[in-house]
Amino acid sequence: MKIRVGFGYDVHRLTEGRDLWLGGIKIEYSKGLIGHSDADVLIHAICDALLGAANLRDIGFHFPDTAKEYKDVDSKLLLKKTLEVLTEKGYRIGNIDATICAEQPKINPHIPQMQKVMAEILNIDTDDISIKATTSEKMGFVGREEGFSSYAVALIEKI
C-alpha cells in the first residue's frame, strides 16, 4: 500500500458585509472572509493538503483567482473537484486533520456540522475528518480579529 501526506495552509481577511463560510457551512457572524470565492479558509487549506499529497500543486493552480468561473464560487464545489482530481490520479482519502485559528466567533459548536458536510462531499466517514479550533491568544492578525487562518494535513492512499 502506498500512502502520501500533504499539508495545507490558508488565510483570509475579515470584513463587514460578507457572509462567513467555514467548512462548507454558513456561520452567523457580523463579518465574513474576503476572497475571490466564498473565502472558506478551512476548505481551501484542506484542498491544498489533498492536492499536495498527490503532488498536484495547489488550489490556486487548479482554481485561479483570475478565473471568472470561480468568482464567489461555493468552496464546496472546489472540494468536490479536488476529490475528482485525486480519484482520477488513483488516490482515495485516508484521513484529514485540520485546525481553524480565529478569535471570534466560537467555532467548536459548528464542528460536527462541518464534518458532516465535508465528509459527504469527500465520500468519507465523519470520523475521518478531524477539525479543531483555536485562537492565537490575541496575538497577530488573527488575535486582532483581522482574519482567520487554517491548517490541514491529509493522508491519501493509492487505490
Side-chain angles (χ1 to χ4, degrees):
M1 168 178 29
K2 182 172 185 172
I3 61 170
R4 297 175 63 113
V5 176
F7 173 76
Y9 169 76
D10 196 36
V11 59
H12 285 282
R13 288 182 293 129
L14 280 166
T15 190
E16 302 282 338
R18 292 252 318 176
D19 290 333
L20 178 60
W21 287 92
L22 280 177
I25 66 168
K26 184 178 170 184
I27 296 174
E28 291 303 317
Y29 189 56
S30 61
K31 297 178 184 177
L33 296 167
I34 301 171
H36 185 70
S37 66
D38 63 7
D40 189 324
V41 71
L42 177 59
I43 286 183
H44 295 180
I46 290 171
C47 286
D48 265 352
L50 291 167
L51 292 166
N55 194 21
L56 291 168
R57 302 197 50 179
D58 61 29
I59 192 171
F61 177 80
H62 291 273
F63 315 110
D65 63 6
T66 54
K68 291 178 185 171
E69 66 264 31
Y70 300 120
K71 178 71 177 142
D72 297 322
V73 72
D74 182 336
S75 290
K76 291 188 294 290
L77 177 65
L78 305 182
L79 188 62
K80 182 179 178 183
K81 288 184 177 229
T82 296
L83 177 63
E84 290 169 5
V85 170
L86 279 180
T87 303
E88 286 171 14
K89 196 163 179 188
Y91 289 102
R92 70 175 171 212
I93 298 169
N95 73 298
I96 296 166
D97 183 25
T99 302
I100 303 166
C101 302
E103 295 295 324
Q104 292 293 328
K106 294 299 178 195
I107 305 300
N108 276 317
H110 306 285
I111 288 174
Q113 183 63 25
M114 290 180 200
Q115 288 173 300
K116 182 178 184 290
V117 166
M118 288 190 290
E120 285 176 8
I121 293 165
L122 294 171
N123 232 0
I124 60 176
D125 292 333
T126 55
D127 238 17
D128 293 330
I129 182 163
S130 168
I131 302 168
K132 301 171 306 297
T134 190
T135 69
S136 64
E137 300 292 330
K138 305 285 184 197
M139 296 181 293
F141 76 92
V142 172
R144 291 187 301 272
E145 299 184 32
E146 296 170 4
F148 291 3
S149 63
S150 188
Y151 303 85
V153 179
L155 175 83
I156 62 173
E157 304 170 85
K158 194 72 166 177
I159 299 172

